[in-house]
Amino acid sequence: MRSIRYIVRASVIAGIYAALTYFLKPISYGPLQVRVSEALTLLPLIESSAVPGLFVGCFLANLLGGLGPWDVYGGSLITLVAAYLTSKMPNPFLGAIPPIILNALGVSYYLSLLYDMPYALTASYIALGELIAVGFLGIPMLLFIKRTGLRRYFDKAR
């Protein structure tokens, strides 16, 4: 029964990530982006199924995004590593570091090639977008979940 709950939770997180990314497509893709769904990248701090959920959600979102294999595989693997590292962090402020840094360094690499833009500029844009999504949206979201009765719905927040 526990594994079914785990899969369902991961699936819900994947679906929310993919839908939110695609619904906000104009600001979710490209070298200048604020992928609002990245606020969910702090969920591994309170929900273990968020690690595979974020990976699958990012994979689906990038598959729909149209930037090709670099984004589908590269971006999804970066999200997987960032989610795992976030799950090991002691608080949301440190937990925000892996998705911000890894996306700024990794995603920017292939986006700078795909869009023929300077790497440093692309990395700055992606870092800023991640800071907005993870720092200004994700941290308050996670703190809200932890301070309210919502925390009982997450496996690590008890």
Side-chain angles (χ1 to χ4, degrees):
M1 186 59 122
R2 179 153 163 66
S3 62
I4 292 172
R5 282 190 187 133
Y6 185 89
I7 292 169
V8 168
R9 287 172 187 239
S11 299
V12 167
I13 291 167
I16 292 169
Y17 185 101
L20 192 56
T21 303
Y22 192 72
F23 178 70
L24 297 172
K25 189 174 184 175
I27 63 168
S28 295
Y29 300 96
L32 183 55
Q33 61 177 261
V34 177
R35 191 175 274 200
V36 174
S37 55
E38 285 288 299
L40 301 174
T41 61
L42 293 178
L43 287 178
L45 291 166
I46 59 171
E47 177 61 52
S48 59
S49 66
V51 174
L54 290 167
F55 169 70
V56 171
C58 185
F59 183 86
L60 293 172
N62 290 347
L63 197 60
L64 296 169
L67 288 178
W70 280 95
D71 205 29
V72 173
Y73 300 112
S76 303
L77 288 173
I78 289 167
T79 295
L80 178 63
V81 172
Y84 173 76
L85 292 174
T86 295
S87 75
K88 302 302 180 191
M89 295 296 173
N91 62 59
F93 300 99
L94 292 176
I97 294 172
I100 293 170
I101 298 296
L102 292 178
N103 280 291
L105 298 178
V107 172
S108 297
Y109 173 74
Y110 64 81
L111 287 181
S112 69
L113 297 174
L114 292 173
Y115 286 91
D116 194 29
M117 291 180 60
Y119 173 75
L121 182 62
T122 309
S124 299
Y125 286 157
I126 297 298
L128 179 61
E130 285 291 312
L131 181 62
I132 293 167
V134 181
F136 297 129
L137 299 175
I139 290 174
M141 175 199 70
L142 191 71
L143 294 175
F144 176 79
I145 289 169
K146 290 176 120 182
R147 289 184 182 138
T148 65
L150 292 174
R151 71 173 169 237
R152 70 176 177 265
Y153 296 107
F154 298 93
D155 69 357
K156 290 171 64 176
R158 295 184 179 128

